[in-house]
Amino acid sequence: MYDVEEIRKDFPILERRIGEKKLVYLDNAATSQKPRRVIETLTAYYEEHNANIHRAVHRLAEEATKAYEEAREKVAVFLGAPETTGLIFTRGTTESINLVAHAWGRKYLREGDEVVLTETEHHSNLVPWQLAARDTGARLRFIPILEDGTLDMEEAERLIGPRTKMVACIHASNVLGTINLVERLAELAHEAGALMLVDGAQSAPHLPVDVKKLGCDFFACSGHKMLGPTGVGVLWGRPELLEEMDPFLGGGEMIREVHLDHSTWNDLPYKFEAGTMNIAQAVGLGAAVDYLSELGMEDVREHERRLGEYAYRRLSEIGGIVLYGPKEDRTGLVSFSLPDMHPHDLSQLLDEEGVAIRSGHHCCQPLIRRLGVVATARASFYLYNTEEEVNALVEALVRVREFFGAFAR
Ligand SMILES: Cc1ncc(COP(=O)(O)O)c(C=O)c1O
């Protein structure tokens, strides 16, 4: 049984007060809070096992290496990766996508090739491809969205063709809450002889993910959005592709032999893990994944689906509010705006009520422009949020609105 009140007890920060008010944390798409188990894992790692990994033979180094490699196995299982050789620790989604855009893009893209993205990409799945296109002469094409915020799949079928070398797309939108049909996009990519990269920053924390079922070639996500520490994320790639790619960063650990004039590369996944990694953070991510797996991602998804629907319904009762994204099949986040109020003012006033939401372009400037606004406000929910917190958001919004209305008069 999914017991949200029990779950909340695992998250010490949820006890915090903002002034006189109880914290209502609704900025989970930016980063999630951490359960005690993750915090204690980090402390235990530093208090009992800390050492550098893979190099020394002393006891602590062996323990640290074991903990790090166990975390890799846990994350691989969590994402449905068929092996651990393709599971590379990075700093997060941004670094994972940069890795592919550099190590694959610079090697394989040529003038006339096309990389197909969507209008809804986070800057971290857009800017790395702009840089790769600039350096290689490849061209970027964009799948547009329909009015409801879903991808125009007919246009996707037209855009993905013989020139396409890569299709790179968010699994779930951090602005619209849309869940994209990435399985279908992967099929289209493969029919065209292209590869498929999925930005899973907003899916891995919230939905059951199986990279085999998605049919993608690369999958990226961030630990800090899925209960883990900052500074660690994941790139999963098909090992045969990673094998052929050039390294991303050069340095210690990623080499087999180094001569003054050339070097050879270590086996996967170490070829892509140059220098001292974020060891404690990776171990912490392992603990986060244990926590999520024990809750069960189907149940997490169901809880957030219901909460998201409830929030969408309650928010839509506020007169004049504009809600963005599809009505159904969405993740647990809602972007909105109120007439005559800048989202920044809105989130500042909500903060005084103890309600933490986000406002701005959400690192998706082209999408925000496409929506015809300068910014939106966004409430994003996670596995520990409750209907009472949605009510607190709605009530605070109504109060803020009344205050602002009076102010405007
Ligand atoms: C869809 C999406 N992609 C990528 C990122 C970047 O993640 P990170 O900053 O952890 O690298 C985010 C973060 O907000 C995101 O929402």
Side-chain angles (χ1 to χ4, degrees):
M1 240 290 275
Y2 195 92
D3 185 342
V4 70
E5 290 307 329
E6 281 304 307
I7 291 169
R8 289 178 70 81
K9 292 182 190 156
D10 295 334
F11 292 80
I13 206 168
L14 299 181
E15 296 294 314
R16 260 214 64 176
R17 298 189 87 79
I18 305 297
E20 298 288 293
K21 308 276 181 167
K22 239 179 105 187
L23 167 68
V24 176
Y25 185 76
L26 304 180
D27 193 17
N28 294 285
T31 199
S32 73
Q33 299 302 348
K34 321 301 172 197
R36 197 170 279 108
R37 187 192 298 192
V38 169
I39 301 165
E40 285 172 358
T41 299
L42 290 174
T43 308
Y45 174 82
Y46 281 122
E47 286 186 351
E48 294 169 42
H49 310 290
N50 178 49
N52 213 328
I53 51 171
H54 295 144
R55 294 167 202 175
V57 291
H58 58 77
R59 181 73 61 92
L60 291 187
E62 278 177 13
E63 288 173 7
T65 303
K66 185 163 173 286
Y68 181 80
E69 291 303 330
E70 277 175 2
R72 193 192 307 277
E73 278 165 32
K74 289 174 188 178
V75 178
V77 171
F78 184 75
L79 297 177
E83 39 13 57
T84 50
T85 46
L87 202 293
I88 299 158
F89 282 123
T90 61
R91 273 195 310 124
T93 308
T94 303
E95 186 174 297
S96 299
I97 297 172
N98 274 278
L99 191 164
V100 179
H102 268 267
W104 178 88
R106 301 305 194 280
K107 183 161 182 182
Y108 293 108
L109 289 174
R110 301 270 177 281
E111 196 155 348
D113 289 344
E114 293 181 352
V115 175
V116 175
L117 311 171
T118 78
E119 280 183 339
T120 61
E121 296 313 312
H122 189 279
H123 298 163
S124 62
N125 194 33
L126 172 56
V127 182
W129 296 112
Q130 289 175 342
L131 294 172
R134 185 197 64 188
D135 290 355
T136 61
R139 185 173 165 215
L140 306 185
R141 310 290 307 269
F142 297 93
I143 304 170
I145 48 169
L146 300 169
E147 280 315 303
D148 69 353
T150 59
L151 291 182
D152 183 340
M153 293 302 283
E154 282 180 20
E155 197 51 32
E157 291 188 20
R158 270 193 291 276
L159 279 173
I160 300 171
R163 288 172 188 271
T164 313
K165 291 290 172 300
M166 172 67 80
V167 178
C169 174
I170 42 164
H171 194 176
S173 168
N174 61 316
V175 176
L176 302 170
T178 326
I179 302 172
N180 288 326
L181 301 173
V182 285
E183 295 90 333
R184 178 69 190 131
L185 290 175
E187 273 172 20
L188 291 172
H190 292 152
E191 279 163 24
L195 299 179
M196 173 82 198
L197 178 145
V198 175
D199 169 349
Q202 298 295 344
S203 65
H206 306 289
L207 318 170
V209 164
D210 186 319
V211 294
K212 296 188 295 301
K213 285 198 195 128
L214 293 180
C216 58
D217 302 289
F218 298 102
F219 184 92
C221 61
S222 298
H224 69 96
K225 293 186 197 286
M226 47 197 283
L227 309 184
T230 49
V232 69
V234 172
L235 173 71
W236 173 80
R238 279 205 287 123
E240 57 275 30
L241 297 171
L242 295 169
E243 207 68 78
E244 294 298 314
M245 283 157 53
D246 285 333
F248 174 42
L249 299 174
E253 193 59 29
M254 50 74 72
I255 45 79
R256 181 177 308 287
E257 271 183 33
V258 177
H259 302 268
L260 285 179
D261 59 348
H262 76 282
S263 303
T264 57
W265 317 133
N266 202 345
D267 293 333
L268 291 175
Y270 314 110
K271 172 180 156 186
F272 291 104
E273 293 186 355
T276 299
M277 299 295 289
N278 286 339
I279 305 164
Q281 289 79 356
V283 175
L285 177 56
V289 157
D290 279 343
Y291 187 92
L292 289 170
S293 304
E294 282 167 30
L295 278 184
M297 288 309 290
E298 297 282 353
D299 290 354
V300 169
R301 165 68 185 140
E302 185 51 22
H303 173 76
E304 291 181 28
R305 193 189 58 73
R306 273 201 230 147
L307 204 58
E309 265 180 30
Y310 180 69
Y312 195 93
R313 183 159 57 75
R314 288 296 322 272
L315 285 168
S316 62
E317 289 163 9
I318 299 177
I321 198 167
V322 180
L323 303 178
Y324 300 93
K327 283 207 175 70
E328 283 162 6
D329 295 332
R330 47 186 301 130
T331 57
L333 67 83
V334 188
S335 278
F336 57 92
S337 53
L338 283 174
D340 307 326
M341 272 192 84
H342 195 286
H344 286 316
D345 296 332
L346 190 65
S347 58
Q348 202 145 19
L349 288 165
L350 285 185
D351 181 57
E352 285 167 25
E353 305 268 338
V355 180
I357 63 158
R358 185 64 164 261
S359 62
H361 54 63
H362 314 293
C363 296
C364 289
Q365 288 185 9
L367 172 60
I368 292 293
R369 247 175 250 125
R370 163 72 178 77
L371 296 175
V373 289
V374 286
T376 72
R378 179 187 71 191
S380 53
F381 306 99
Y382 205 11
L383 49 85
Y384 37 68
N385 289 121
T386 63
E387 285 195 0
E388 291 76 66
E389 289 181 307
V390 174
N391 295 341
L393 166 71
V394 173
E395 284 154 22
L397 273 174
V398 170
R399 273 198 297 278
V400 161
R401 190 109 190 266
E402 278 164 6
F403 168 79
F404 229 72
F407 200 73
R409 278 198 294 273

